[in-house]
Structure formats: structure tokens, C-alpha cells
Amino acid sequence: MIQRKVLEYYVLDVFSNESYKGNPLSVVFTDGNLKLETYQNISREFRYSETSFVYYSTREKALVVRSFTPTGIEIDGAGHNLLGAVCGALLKGIPIFDEQNESEPFVIMNHSAIPLTVSFDPETLSPIVQMHQKSAVIKQEIPTYRIAVALGLKIEDLDVNAFVPTIVKTEVAHAMVPIKNSEILNSFVPDNKLLIEISKEYDFEGFYCFTPAQEGLDHIVETRFFNPIIGINEDPATGTAAGPLIGFLTQKKFTKSDKEYKILQGVKLKQPSIIEVMNREEDILVGGSSIITMKGELYL
């Protein structure tokens, strides 16, 4: 019988402290880099929006993370793919920060160090990880009628507090799309072909549709995210878009700097997720919790 290599994996629900909510992520533990085809095959087999592969590098003295979509595209940016990978390693008991002398712990992704802030819930001892994204850069506006048609909405459905659809970038460029209210936000079905055409024309990835929350709720906005250009029809929690959004809202004076806010995403998919965000002078914090929902082995 041929001996096959065995890799351990976790499935975590990210941006949630409850199983079967949040954004599911498969995290595969390796002993180094794999062949590109192997990354792509495993990611296609799991079929989650992203699969992260991690190993601890003694040379880098850090956790190394690579993430792929089911269509084989490697992901850049500090989103649920990174948050879940770090939480998975910590929950597994890997001492990923013990050899680091820096004041801020970090992990390696696409050959770059991504700083983190890590704490632990005093009751559950679960890790709470905040990823540091770059300050938001507002790129350009997109004609409202183009977005409205692609989402199957009327122009007036996108009329929110003088916001207009705008491309914003921290790690990854996404379009911030204002929607009038939660009912409209959770009712439309977008035309993926038209969304892809707009993404290509204006050179960005996804569409982060947001609506201001009613007063008295725990979250500041409710959102939905679509990124068909990389094969994600809809995502229940998107850290790479939450950072640009809080930066955009702060620059528009809708939110304040140095104050933590919560974003609710995934309601339409019945996978409610809470993303904690803060705009600071030097960077943007995007974070939350993760919980292990499954554990197993895969064979190469």
C-alpha cells in the first residue's frame, strides 16, 4: 500500500464566537510550501470562499500564511483568511509569537510582515485578533446608475446621506456602495456579469454594499459583499472590505477616528458575522473572533 502524506486541517467560523455563523474557512497545516497545483486542488475540494495554508517558519520566526479561492486565485490582504489562520494556529497551541522580539506580533503573507494585536477572551480564552491594515485611500467614484443596474436596483435605492459608490483601498481596492435601508440591502440579486465588467473597467475587486444601522443597535452599518471577478458570488464576512469601509466612513465624517465600531455582515446568507473595526491615524484595525467547527485529515 502506497504511503500518502497526511495534513491536518481545521474548519473555523471566522468573525463569530458561535459555530455555523460567521464566515467558514478551512485552515490546512503544512510543514512548508506546497506545489501550486496542490494548493489549488485542496482549495477547490473544500469550496469555501477561501482556504488558508499555514506553517511556522523558524527562519522568519513567524507563521507563514497563503490563501486561495476555489478557482485557484491566490489572495492578498488581511481578511477572514488571515484572521482564521492565526486563530487556528493559536487554538492548536502553536507558539507563533514566542520567538519574536518586536513590540508588535506579526505573521508573513506574500513575503510581507502583517502586524497584529492579539488578546484573549477572559471567559472562553479564545483569541481575539486585530489585523493592521494600511490607511484608507479613496480612489475614484463610480456612476451610481452603473452600479444600480448591475445590482438590479433603482438609482434612488442607492441614495444614502450623500454617499456615492466609491473605490477605496487599504490592502485591496473595493467599491463602497451605499444602499438606502436594510430591507433593500437584503432583497436584491446582482448580475455577476455586469459586476465583473465594472470591476475590470475601474480596476478593483469587490462590491461592499452598506446601509447605516438604526439607532440603538450594536453595529454601525450592515453590509453585503460580492466579488465575482475572483469567484466569490457572496461572502458572509469580508475583512479586506471592512477596513476600506471604516476608512471611507471616517473620511466622510460619518464615524470618528480612534473609536471601535462593529459591522454586521452575512444576514442574507444566514451566517451573521461581526467585524470589529477602528480607524486610527497611522492604520486601520480589523478584527474579531473565530471558533473551530470541524477538524480532520486530508491526504496528498
Side-chain angles (χ1 to χ4, degrees), residues 63-83:
L63 189 75
V64 178
V65 182
R66 297 185 69 177
S67 301
F68 291 81
T69 71
T71 57
I73 297 173
E74 185 164 9
I75 295 296
D76 187 16
H80 93 283
N81 58 312
L82 186 65
L83 176 65

Side-chain angles (χ1 to χ4, degrees), residues 6 17 21 28 70 112 122 128 254 273 293 300:
V6 180
N17 55 15
K21 295 183 179 180
V28 180
S112 298
I128 300 170
F254 184 77
S273 309
T293 298
L300 301 183

Side-chain angles (χ1 to χ4, degrees), residues 44-284:
R44 186 174 64 250
E45 189 80 8
F46 275 115
R47 300 199 66 79
Y48 292 122
S49 61
E50 293 164 27
T51 293
S52 290
F53 300 82
V54 303
Y55 70 90
Y56 184 79
S57 169
T58 54
R59 182 173 65 86
E60 302 275 8
K61 297 181 180 179
L63 189 75
V64 178
V65 182
R66 297 185 69 177
S67 301
F68 291 81
T69 71
T71 57
I73 297 173
E74 185 164 9
I75 295 296
D76 187 16
H80 93 283
N81 58 312
L82 186 65
L83 176 65
V86 173
C87 287
L90 292 172
L91 289 167
K92 185 175 166 62
I94 302 174
I96 60 176
F97 303 126
D98 284 10
E99 292 187 289
Q100 295 180 4
N101 297 320
E102 284 76 5
S103 56
E104 271 183 352
F106 66 94
V107 297
I108 303 294
M109 191 170 193
N110 286 344
H111 308 291
S112 298
I114 299 179
L116 307 168
T117 300
V118 180
S119 60
F120 292 85
D121 187 294
E123 294 183 5
T124 65
L125 299 181
S126 298
I128 300 170
V129 177
Q130 292 176 305
M131 303 169 290
H132 296 229
Q133 295 185 7
K134 299 171 186 174
S135 296
V137 177
I138 294 180
K139 293 290 195 177
Q140 68 179 110
E141 297 177 357
I142 305 173
T144 300
Y145 76 91
R146 294 284 306 275
I147 302 287
V149 170
L151 296 178
L153 295 173
K154 302 173 184 175
I155 291 179
E156 53 265 33
D157 293 333
L158 277 66
D159 181 19
V160 181
N161 294 337
F163 290 128
V164 296
T166 304
I167 301 169
V168 185
K169 180 178 181 179
T170 56
E171 311 299 318
V172 182
H174 297 301
M176 306 295 112
V177 182
I179 304 294
K180 182 171 284 186
N181 57 50
S182 180
E183 183 179 356
I184 295 173
L185 177 73
N186 289 300
S187 67
F188 65 81
V189 178
D191 183 323
N192 284 342
K193 183 179 178 181
L194 292 179
L195 293 183
I196 290 172
E197 287 178 3
I198 296 172
S199 292
K200 289 180 177 179
E201 181 178 342
Y202 288 88
D203 191 26
F204 68 95
E205 279 196 11
F207 298 76
Y208 206 35
C209 302
F210 70 94
T211 189
Q214 296 179 356
E215 288 189 24
L217 295 178
D218 197 32
H219 55 279
I220 187 73
V221 292
E222 182 181 347
T223 62
R224 292 176 70 188
F225 180 74
F226 309 93
N227 198 354
I229 199 168
I230 65 167
I232 299 174
N233 290 335
E234 182 167 0
D235 202 26
T238 316
T240 60
L245 179 58
I246 192 62
F248 176 63
L249 294 177
T250 303
Q251 291 189 40
K252 296 297 182 181
K253 309 300 183 184
F254 184 77
T255 53
K256 298 178 180 179
S257 288
D258 301 315
K259 181 178 178 180
E260 185 174 274
Y261 295 94
K262 294 181 180 178
I263 294 173
L264 174 64
Q265 188 180 335
V267 172
K268 176 71 172 181
L269 298 175
K270 296 182 170 56
Q271 294 171 258
S273 309
I274 295 294
I275 306 172
E276 299 170 356
V277 291
M278 181 188 295
N279 188 94
R280 305 194 299 181
E281 183 177 350
E282 69 278 11
D283 61 10
I284 289 174

